[in-house]
Amino acid sequence: MTQTPAPFPERPAADRPDYLQRLNPEQRAAIETTDGPLLVLAGAGTGKTRVLTTRFAHILLSGRARPYQILAVTFTNKAAREMRERIGALLGEPVEGLWLGTFHALCARMLRRHAEYVGLGSGFTILDTDDQLRLLKQVIEPLRIDTKRWPPQGILGVIQRWKDRGLTPERVTPAEDCDFAGGQCRPIYATYQARLVQLNACDFGDLMLHVTEILRTRPDVLAQYHRLFRYILVDEYQDTNTIQYLWLRLLAQREGQPANICCVGDDDQSIYSWRGAEVENILRFERDFPGAAVVRLERNYRSTAQILGAASGLIAHNDGRLGKTLRPGREDASGEKVRVASVWDSDDEARLVGEEVERLRAGGHSLAEIAILVRAGFQTRAFEERLITLGLPYRVVGGLRFYERSEIRDAMAYMRVLNQPADDLAFERIINVPRRGIGAAAMQKFHVAAREGQMPLAAAVMDLIARGALKGRAREQMTALMACLARGREALPREGHVVVVETLLEESGYIDMWKADTSPEAPGRLDNLKELVRALADFESLGGFLEHVALVMENEENAGAERLSIMTLHGAKGLEFDTVFLPGWEEGVFPSQRTLDEGGLKGLEEERRLAYVGITRARHRAVISHAASRRIYGNWQSAIPSRFIEELPAEHVTTTGGAAQARSRTFGHAPLSSTAFPVMARRPRVTDVGEKGPTAAMAVGTRVFHQKFGYGTISSVEGNRLEVAFEKAGPKRVLDTFVEKIP
DNA sequence: TTATTTCAATTTTTT
DNA sequence: ATTGAAATAA
């Protein structure tokens, strides 16, 4: 393993251009080591984005490459946008013609140029998840697969994972074919791909897969990109999957020239293995690119020493790390310790967080600098309810996004059919929305006609109308719909896409459908449709708009409002806040039981990295909490504190709350002054009922009472953790503090 | 063809 | 408890 380079000699400041000022030696090394492979291990809060953007600017300003000769890859559109803005700021002007974007956006751009090599036209459509599923269902329908046992989503998952690994249908070996769908996944995959080509469409995975396949099989195309890209920059390298790795390696390894690839990442923040990311990619970097330099960014400028100490101590429990230790960047006061609060249940937890937030706000803290980071979506509800009663403005980040709403997808489908009459999947989506009396039977008829006539669905419908094979209301409605679309297409060059789409949505009856809808969401949906038409005006053409939406499923709204954020730990990666609440640190919730079951030790380590990501989001304050009981799927479950709590180094942690006081690690310093934690308020007054838990001998066979589960008998004891056979609730694991001995 | 009922699943998510 | 999708009745 390569060592962090020795400190670099300080050159006189005057020698260095402006943009290289005020960087630490490691950051400067990461920027000035321009040629040859370079791995930058950037711990949380160590100035990663700054290094990436400055490196980009440095390559340009030192004359090593023109803007279009640098390939800069990110995972999210947000990261790409931020990078573009910051490069523009460094250079003093916006730069044009950059190859800067997400893996998928860059691949889409490449694939439009070379689509014919994989049997597509350059005007191919990019399908969303709905379309993918609909198409797959069509493919598996004749196979009479038991969709109970093998849900289409699962099959799609298998295909997606193959694509993540760079496996085209031909490359999937029989051994690779899992027993999913009765071992029929391989032929299903092949048919699915063939159908996509017929539709002149591809899914997200295909963007990477097709381009990589082209680069693999067309040396001329590959050479063209080798000549073009002199430098490659990759963000969040620990999140790359196999296909992304293959794509990068193909582009980076040039005959007789150094691989000028710089990957920035942090193995400790790899939290996406479940969607195909391979941490091995970053662990293997030095073997993949011989002679690679490695720079470690370990000076953290974000968090207090206490927070860093807690996070470092926790992550140290993982094996197989590349090894980094975050050091406080500034020697300021060490700050507050990380707090661990024990509460009774999720309502208590929400109350505690709410009170703390109110206190912070009273102390002049901005709500925008506070976040509640949960493991899973179901945890948000208790907080939302509490924040509403307190009148605290909040936002749940990562709910349904604009372009995922059904009315927007419907409207988009109308546009797609307008844009490409052969877009069967879009046509199928709108054909009976609003209701036009087309059910399964009619649909079947259309499909048969389309297959027999070797034509798109829409054309088949026209044909059936012309031949009089359609009767009654269906005929009327279909004639009207087709006329609508035809009028729109004809008017497009004259009236412009905005007006035409607006008219189409009106005349097709789609708008009226929502106007007639009396449900409370309907007005909001109409507003969304207005907003969609407005967004349409920002684009030159319909095609341009559709491409944008397919790749950038984002809405840029309500930023900067004075609200606190509730989001998942995954959603919080890359963000930072003054104060971070980390609720639900209980075995089964965090670490998640499912991850443990499915991923074993690997899964546990990923959960631990998630915990590490959570803590390192905090600049000044981190409050971890765990509840003693939690209602999951309608019934109460007892909960034991997460093992991650015990793994936090004691010297960086303070503990509050009743249950915690029973823990051996707490040396009796009960924070009685803390009015912020009126925890355990709803615990029974134990002295009235029986002896208090921790002081009483808890032996196997002891009869106990539990607030939520009722009466039961202890069946095993493990320190302060009991297993109790409850009379009504069955066997549960509980902490001794939450039961009372029955005399 | 649509409305109703039952039934199961229920982490994390970008593009 | 809640929700969404598939089976079944009107």
Side-chain angles (χ1 to χ4, degrees), chain A residues 441-480:
Chain A
M443 231 23 247
Q444 184 77 22
K445 198 164 157 186
F446 297 161
H447 273 295
V448 169
R451 208 169 323 130
E452 282 175 356
Q454 297 267 333
M455 55 175 96
L457 270 180
V461 172
M462 290 290 271
D463 195 48
L464 288 172
I465 294 170
R467 287 187 301 163
L470 214 67
K471 293 179 201 71
R473 203 171 69 232
R475 184 194 171 95
E476 261 168 56
Q477 297 273 343
M478 283 302 98
T479 313

Side-chain angles (χ1 to χ4, degrees), chain A residues 95-349:
Chain A
V95 223
E96 301 284 316
L98 296 184
W99 283 89
L100 187 165
T102 63
F103 278 101
H104 296 272
L106 293 166
C107 278
R109 187 167 158 191
M110 290 179 170
L111 191 56
R112 296 257 179 238
R113 297 175 155 192
H114 316 291
E116 76 274 16
Y117 292 132
V118 288
L120 293 173
S122 75
F124 61 82
T125 1
I126 301 166
L127 300 187
D128 64 24
T129 343
D130 286 1
D131 294 327
Q132 286 179 49
L133 202 61
R134 206 132 18 87
L135 183 59
L136 187 81
K137 280 178 181 166
Q138 288 173 18
V139 169
I140 60 176
E141 206 194 22
L143 299 174
R144 296 189 300 117
I145 280 174
D146 180 5
T147 50
K148 273 264 170 58
R149 270 185 79 194
W150 319 113
Q153 280 100 331
I155 302 174
L156 206 55
V158 171
I159 293 176
Q160 222 126 284
R161 258 169 283 141
W162 278 335
K163 290 187 176 180
D164 284 344
R165 291 169 50 210
L167 300 173
T168 55
E170 309 83 64
R171 285 178 199 268
V172 179
T173 60
E176 207 78 64
D177 203 345
C178 49
D179 44 1
F180 211 89
Q184 291 192 85
C185 283
R186 222 154 51 101
I188 293 171
Y189 180 23
T191 317
Y192 175 79
Q193 290 303 94
R195 287 283 294 132
L196 281 171
V197 171
Q198 274 172 23
L199 292 164
N200 193 28
C202 68
D203 64 22
F204 274 110
D206 285 337
L207 292 173
M208 296 285 331
L209 188 70
H210 285 325
V211 171
T212 307
E213 199 55 25
I214 292 167
L215 296 179
R216 279 208 265 221
T217 54
R218 310 290 312 199
D220 51 320
V221 177
L222 183 60
Q224 184 186 324
Y225 287 108
H226 280 169
R227 278 192 302 276
L228 180 62
F229 299 135
R230 298 199 183 171
Y231 293 91
I232 300 177
L233 298 179
V234 188
D235 192 14
E236 306 280 17
Y237 190 61
Q238 78 284 349
D239 287 338
T240 50
N241 60 32
T242 304
I243 186 88
Q244 287 159 341
Y245 158 77
L246 290 171
W247 182 80
L248 285 170
R249 206 180 57 177
L250 279 163
L251 290 170
Q253 289 181 337
R254 299 174 298 171
E255 197 70 36
Q257 286 182 78
N260 291 334
I261 183 170
C262 168
C263 294
V264 182
D266 180 358
D267 50 318
D268 291 334
Q269 291 188 67
S270 158
I271 55 175
Y272 283 112
S273 73
W274 49 273
R275 69 178 195 209
E278 302 271 351
V279 209
E280 279 66 36
N281 288 346
I282 196 166
L283 303 178
R284 233 186 23 237
F285 186 86
E286 292 166 86
R287 262 175 291 151
D288 284 333
F289 299 99
V294 178
V295 174
R296 283 181 168 74
L297 304 181
E298 298 176 299
R299 294 196 211 184
N300 175 297
Y301 300 97
R302 177 190 295 161
S303 310
T304 64
Q306 295 283 7
I307 288 166
L308 293 179
S312 301
L314 178 69
I315 200 66
H317 287 83
N318 272 6
D319 284 333
R321 303 168 57 218
L322 284 174
K324 262 182 294 76
T325 315
L326 288 182
R327 294 191 306 271
R330 349 183 165 81
E331 285 306 319
D332 52 5
S334 58
E336 296 173 28
K337 293 190 175 192
V338 171
R339 271 185 279 168
V340 174
S342 300
V343 296
W344 176 239
D345 61 14
S346 56
D347 290 338
D348 247 11
E349 193 173 49

Side-chain angles (χ1 to χ4, degrees), chain A residues 389-553:
Chain A
T389 44
L390 292 174
L392 289 167
Y394 68 91
R395 88 185 122 154
V396 180
V397 180
L400 252 200
R401 288 170 309 162
F402 188 70
Y403 290 106
E404 282 169 358
R405 294 165 214 223
S406 65
E407 70 275 17
I408 299 303
R409 292 198 144 164
D410 289 339
M412 297 289 303
Y414 272 99
M415 292 185 218
R416 279 165 53 190
V417 175
L418 194 65
N419 188 243
Q420 238 202 77
D423 192 332
D424 281 4
L425 291 162
F427 185 70
E428 212 178 321
R429 178 170 186 128
I430 59 155
I431 191 165
N432 205 31
V433 181
R435 295 262 131 87
R436 295 190 179 94
I438 304 298
M443 231 23 247
Q444 184 77 22
K445 198 164 157 186
F446 297 161
H447 273 295
V448 169
R451 208 169 323 130
E452 282 175 356
Q454 297 267 333
M455 55 175 96
L457 270 180
V461 172
M462 290 290 271
D463 195 48
L464 288 172
I465 294 170
R467 287 187 301 163
L470 214 67
K471 293 179 201 71
R473 203 171 69 232
R475 184 194 171 95
E476 261 168 56
Q477 297 273 343
M478 283 302 98
T479 313
L481 176 65
M482 302 312 289
C484 243
L485 290 164
R487 264 203 306 280
R489 267 179 224 121
E490 183 264 328
L492 203 49
R494 219 164 356 95
E495 298 176 21
H497 55 293
V498 183
V499 175
V500 168
V501 168
E502 220 173 353
T503 316
L504 177 65
L505 292 177
E506 276 289 346
E507 290 186 352
S508 63
Y510 189 73
I511 298 278
D512 288 338
M513 179 184 91
W514 287 116
K515 280 186 180 161
D517 193 309
T518 51
S519 65
E521 307 95 69
R525 293 183 191 269
L526 285 164
D527 284 344
N528 289 336
L529 289 167
K530 278 199 197 109
E531 171 64 24
L532 180 72
V533 174
R534 206 205 47 71
L536 194 56
D538 295 339
F539 290 80
E540 294 274 303
S541 71
L542 198 52
F545 178 71
L546 292 172
E547 172 90 350
H548 173 82
V549 173
L551 292 169
V552 189
M553 298 266 292

